[in-house]
Amino acid sequence: MQAVQKYNAIMTGNEAVAFGAKLARVGFISAYPITPQTTIVEKLAEMVANREISAHYVEVESEHSAMAAVFASELVGVRSYTATSSHGLLYMHEMLHWTAGQRLPVVMSVVNRALGPPWNIWTEQTDSMNQKETGWLQVYCESNQEALDSILMGYKIAESPDVLLPLMSMEDAFILSHTSEPVILPDQDQVDSFLPPLNLSFRVDLKNPMGYGSYSTPDGPYMELRKDMMDSLRNSRKVISKVTKEFGETFGRNYSGLIEKFMMEDAEYAIIASGTLASTGKYVVSKLRQEGKKVGLIRVRFFRPFPDLEIAEAVTDLKGVGVIDRSTSYGSAGPTALEVRSALYGKSEIPVAAFIAGLGGRDVKVEDFEKMFQYVEQGKTGNFYINVKEAC
Amino acid sequence: MPLSIPKEEFMEPGHTACHGCGATLSMRYVLKGMGPNTVVSVPAACWAVIPGAIPNRTLDVPMVYTPFAATGAAITGLREAFNILGKEDYNVVGFAGDGGTADIGLQSLSGAMERGHNVFYIMYDNEAYMNTGVQRSGSTPYGAETTTTPVGKDRNFKRQRKKVVADLMMAQGVPYVATATIAYPEDLIRKITNAKNVKGPKFIQILSPCPVGWYYPSEKSVEISRLAVQSGVFPLFECIHGQLKVTRQSKPIRLSEYLSAQGRFSHMEEEDVRNVQEYIDERMNFLLELEQKSGK
């Protein structure tokens, strides 16, 4: 039975994810401040101070320590949470591998922000795209509601015995993090029935002393453990679909699994995007549809595991597709474009145009999308920077 | 005669440490002092290797391994999580080498101590990066030759004085700070016991001689450890809530006895030895002054 709910709050993306952590009943929070993540951890600190949440909150001296602390608490069996952004996420990088390698279902909020130099606090996804090889699941949110809901779904997915890997949930800097939207704040009882307490089977136990992460020789279990991480990420696709469906049944909000298809039924051309770029994209698709153009949009929600099968199925019969990346892999192309080309290899001959847009928070406007759709309709296949000014 | 050292063992035979490893004795004594309700966290270090490869272990307490810089933060998370679960009586022990403490781990150590968690941080000090093959650390003393401070045509031995982390911890106001070494196990275990009675962060620096990196015969580790104290190179002290007590030397020896017993100092000339003596005197005066002030 679907519960009918109405908007009952107006809040920024950062407030929404803080409420997500609260509703998930996280036991331990450890964080270090960085713009534009700060209002998440400020809100949580305020909740702790007002006894609205029973979590232990530790303000550490770096992001590396924040992740090391949540790694350790999660290993003891306490549901743990942190949030960061940009350089903070990069500073955590080593601990991201360590937490995933130890198979700990930590959930973290990441506010996507550009990397310096020069300093830039506005949105870009290069920070989290740099972490795609760490073994973390990655979900990119499009609204404040999705940002909140992704924390609840995130713990359920990550803690599934078929997954047992950490998950990072992204929101675009300022566009979501600091912009207020109407949000449905779910009831605690409803969340509790959806998300049971953490029960980690291999937590630190003094009665059964073990070494957690000692070392492995080349003939030891190292390679098998790494393959198991890959298998679990593959299995997580089913878990994501199941949990997303269950979330829809419980809360009445339906997220569509790994990707969201918008006006794709009879589309001939499509653009693939993630985060709030998809919102502008949807607006442009609706506009072009009114002009009679058969266009659609695919929003990548999960980047890890990458929805290669879903995208291949969705675009195989199109005449052309464009992929927008708000990030760069220097010396190559945008990370999403690379994945899409790889997903289509041997399955489809359609032209793929790769766009880099919106770096450092530059606006990606309606006319930019119209231009990208023109490129796609022209069957272009190269890599293109959108809205780059002439050299001054 | 009653035993002066607890009989209970938390370290099993069959570890993979080098012959004469001082760090191994340090762990053994520390755990005797801690008792069974203990969790140990180690970063990259000799002690990440000593227990053996998966699935072997050598300690009868859980060990949580972390990357190099993370010890202070890992014991933070362990402590808080055990408190959340009502296990306030568990001893949470960080056990890191001198590189993992004086260099790459100093920030997370300092953070954990500042936040005041009820944790132990044991620095087993073998005065260089021994697990990676004897490279210089901040805790390497003046005069020592290491693989990155080699004595070649240029005598590039370490020219800088040892960064003494225990002194930094006293300056930071850590409630319990002490030094110890394996030649004096009763003193070492007594310090663990005393530390257990102090609520808040505890830091103990244990000089742990390394035959491989200090270039002396492996049967002489305990002897070298004793000479380090007797020569004044490594003064033993205990500082509880700012009250410092320095152990006086009953049988002082000449510095040259300590230096000449180890290959790492074999290149030293008279002037270099004088520099070390000057340092020893300065530091002892500093400690004694601090002791006098803290007594008031």
Side-chain angles (χ1 to χ4, degrees):
Chain A
M1 194 187 80
Q2 285 198 358
V4 179
Q5 292 204 346
K6 289 181 179 171
Y7 292 125
N8 55 8
I10 293 177
M11 55 178 67
T12 63
N14 279 358
E15 281 179 279
V17 301
F19 274 99
K22 173 184 188 256
L23 289 163
R25 293 192 185 275
V26 297
F28 181 70
I29 302 161
S30 181
Y32 183 82
I34 180 168
T35 301
Q37 153 263 35
T38 40
T39 48
I40 300 175
V41 295
E42 286 168 1
K43 186 72 197 171
L44 285 167
E46 186 188 306
M47 288 173 177
V48 170
N50 292 325
R51 296 185 202 158
E52 293 163 10
I53 178 173
S54 64
H56 283 218
Y57 182 114
V58 175
E59 320 90 79
V60 282
E61 77 301 324
S62 78
E63 287 89 355
H64 193 280
S65 284
M67 187 48 63
V70 298
F71 152 82
S73 62
E74 188 85 20
L75 189 56
V76 173
V78 173
R79 186 175 284 156
S80 302
Y81 173 82
T82 186
T84 190
S85 178
S86 183
H87 289 262
L89 185 61
L90 266 58
Y91 200 41
M92 269 183 191
H93 180 75
E94 177 185 36
M95 286 310 306
L96 297 183
H97 277 281
W98 201 268
T99 302
Q102 193 61 58
R103 306 303 299 264
L104 296 173
V106 170
V107 169
M108 166 167 63
S109 295
V110 173
V111 187
N112 279 131
R113 170 190 145 177
L115 304 168
W119 287 114
N120 178 310
I121 58 170
W122 291 274
T123 199
E124 186 183 315
Q125 294 175 345
T126 308
D127 53 358
S128 57
M129 284 298 168
N130 261 266
Q131 317 308 328
K132 63 188 162 62
E133 266 74 74
T134 55
W136 284 60
L137 280 74
Q138 291 197 334
V139 57
Y140 290 81
C141 300
E142 192 196 358
S143 69
N144 295 354
Q145 184 73 59
E146 189 179 14
L148 188 160
D149 293 344
S150 291
I151 302 298
L152 307 178
M153 287 186 277
Y155 277 110
K156 185 137 180 155
I157 293 163
E159 292 172 6
S160 160
D162 292 333
V163 180
L164 283 175
L165 284 167
L167 178 145
M168 61 177 84
S169 175
M170 269 59 77
E171 39 166 353
D172 288 343
F174 298 105
I175 300 169
L176 291 186
S177 71
H178 286 62
T179 306
S180 292
E181 285 184 341
V183 164
I184 298 167
L185 208 54
D187 294 336
Q188 185 68 61
D189 292 348
Q190 226 175 353
V191 175
D192 289 346
S193 68
F194 172 75
L195 181 65
L198 170 66
N199 184 15
L200 197 67
S201 60
F202 52 84
R203 61 182 172 269
V204 176
D205 178 7
L206 269 65
K207 292 188 192 77
N208 180 24
M210 290 195 289
Y212 292 87
S214 53
Y215 78 91
S216 168
T217 57
D219 289 329
Y222 186 91
M223 191 161 168
E224 288 69 26
L225 289 167
R226 289 298 170 267
K227 180 177 177 292
D228 192 67
M229 280 173 70
M230 187 66 115
D231 293 343
S232 295
L233 264 159
R234 206 168 291 278
N235 291 340
S236 75
R237 306 161 79 99
K238 283 183 210 144
V239 177
I240 290 164
S241 300
K242 187 167 162 279
V243 169
T244 308
K245 191 162 169 279
E246 196 186 325
F247 188 89
E249 285 162 6
T250 309
F251 298 97
R253 288 188 293 285
N254 294 297
Y255 298 95
S256 44
L258 280 81
I259 61 170
E260 179 198 348
K261 289 186 266 190
F262 182 79
M263 292 193 172
M264 286 297 294
E265 292 77 24
D266 60 342
E268 293 176 348
Y269 301 96
I271 276 182
I272 298 172
S274 63
T276 55
L277 280 181
S279 308
T280 314
K282 287 174 184 172
Y283 172 81
V284 174
V285 165
S286 304
K287 187 165 172 270
L288 293 176
R289 282 275 177 176
Q290 282 173 9
E291 295 167 16
K293 298 199 165 174
K294 289 190 171 178
V295 291
L297 183 134
I298 295 167
R299 180 167 72 93
V300 174
R301 290 188 66 234
F302 277 83
F303 194 86
R304 284 290 180 268
F306 192 78
D308 51 351
L309 302 174
E310 291 81 354
I311 287 176
E313 196 196 331
V315 307
T316 300
D317 299 325
L318 302 187
K319 292 179 179 168
V321 67
V323 186
I324 310 178
D325 275 290
R326 198 164 208 158
S327 61
T328 320
S329 178
Y330 297 106
S332 185
T336 319
L338 292 170
E339 297 278 354
V340 168
R341 283 173 177 153
S342 166
L344 297 184
Y345 184 79
K347 290 183 182 150
S348 172
E349 298 285 312
I350 67 161
V352 179
F355 305 111
I356 306 276
L359 298 186
R362 179 159 299 176
D363 263 351
V364 183
K365 296 180 177 143
V366 171
E367 51 265 39
D368 297 324
F369 265 94
E370 288 171 342
K371 185 178 171 189
M372 287 188 272
F373 268 115
Q374 279 170 17
Y375 278 35
V376 173
E377 284 176 82
Q378 288 162 11
K380 288 190 193 272
T381 57
N383 299 311
F384 306 97
Y385 274 74
I386 298 302
N387 193 13
V388 177
K389 293 170 190 165
E390 295 298 316
C392 24
Chain B
M1 191 179 131
L3 289 171
S4 60
I5 292 175
K7 203 177 171 187
E8 211 172 349
E9 290 287 357
F10 298 95
M11 204 168 116
E12 306 273 357
H15 62 75
T16 66
C18 311
H19 287 194
C21 172
T24 310
L25 274 180
S26 296
M27 177 68 93
R28 188 175 164 207
Y29 294 143
V30 164
L31 290 180
K32 278 174 180 285
M34 292 290 172
N37 281 352
T38 299
V39 175
V40 176
S41 183
V42 295
C46 287
W47 254 104
V49 180
I50 291 169
I54 294 171
N56 298 303
R57 64 178 169 85
T58 197
L59 301 186
D60 290 333
V61 297
M63 280 184 83
V64 175
Y65 296 75
T66 71
F68 223 158
T71 312
I75 57 177
T76 297
L78 291 170
R79 176 75 278 161
E80 292 301 311
F82 283 128
N83 289 356
I84 290 165
L85 300 177
K87 311 281 188 192
E88 280 94 353
D89 57 327
Y90 284 7
N91 303 313
V92 173
V93 181
F95 197 91
D98 52 288
T101 303
D103 295 343
I104 195 169
L106 189 62
Q107 176 176 305
S108 71
L109 162 65
S110 179
M113 296 290 115
E114 179 266 330
R115 290 188 298 270
H117 307 286
N118 192 28
V119 292
F120 299 83
Y121 191 111
I122 310 292
M123 169 191 185
Y124 72 94
D125 183 7
N126 49 27
E127 301 195 319
Y129 290 86
M130 296 315 189
N131 194 39
T132 45
V134 199
Q135 294 85 19
R136 166 209 198 275
S137 82
S139 191
T140 302
Y142 170 92
E145 180 173 15
T146 68
T147 54
T148 51
T149 53
V151 176
K153 282 179 187 163
D154 287 327
R155 298 173 65 247
N156 287 339
F157 59 83
K158 186 174 170 188
R159 298 279 173 175
Q160 300 79 20
R161 288 176 171 184
K162 180 184 179 80
K163 183 202 285 187
V164 184
V165 182
D167 291 359
L168 299 180
M169 293 296 104
M170 280 199 288
Q172 203 185 306
V174 174
Y176 185 93
V177 181
T179 58
T181 187
I182 56 169
Y184 305 94
E186 291 96 339
D187 176 72
L188 194 161
I189 292 168
R190 185 181 55 79
K191 281 169 176 164
I192 301 285
T193 311
N194 289 350
K196 281 164 91 171
N197 293 324
V198 173
K199 203 164 163 38
K202 281 105 23 185
F203 179 88
I204 304 176
Q205 181 165 353
I206 303 179
L207 187 73
S208 306
C210 170
V212 176
W214 294 11
Y215 308 106
Y216 64 80
S218 58
E219 69 273 18
K220 290 199 179 293
S221 287
V222 172
E223 193 181 318
I224 298 278
S225 157
R226 188 179 303 118
L227 294 177
V229 174
Q230 290 175 323
S231 62
V233 165
F234 192 81
L236 298 181
F237 63 81
E238 186 176 45
C239 183
I240 306 177
H241 293 300
Q243 299 290 306
L244 175 65
K245 281 206 174 81
V246 182
T247 307
R248 302 302 196 274
Q249 271 320 304
S250 53
K251 294 174 191 162
I253 59 155
R254 289 168 61 86
L255 172 62
S256 58
E257 274 189 64
Y258 174 70
L259 297 178
S260 63
Q262 303 166 59
R264 62 176 172 156
F265 300 120
S266 62
H267 58 85
M268 284 175 88
E269 292 169 0
E270 265 178 45
E271 192 197 334
D272 308 324
V273 177
R274 269 202 305 278
N275 285 338
V276 176
Q277 188 62 58
E278 211 171 274
Y279 162 74
I280 289 172
D281 296 342
E282 265 180 44
R283 187 164 137 73
M284 187 50 83
N285 285 339
F286 160 76
L287 286 172
L288 292 176
E289 269 177 40
L290 209 61
E291 182 185 64
Q292 206 183 3
K293 276 186 207 156
S294 76
K296 281 175 187 168

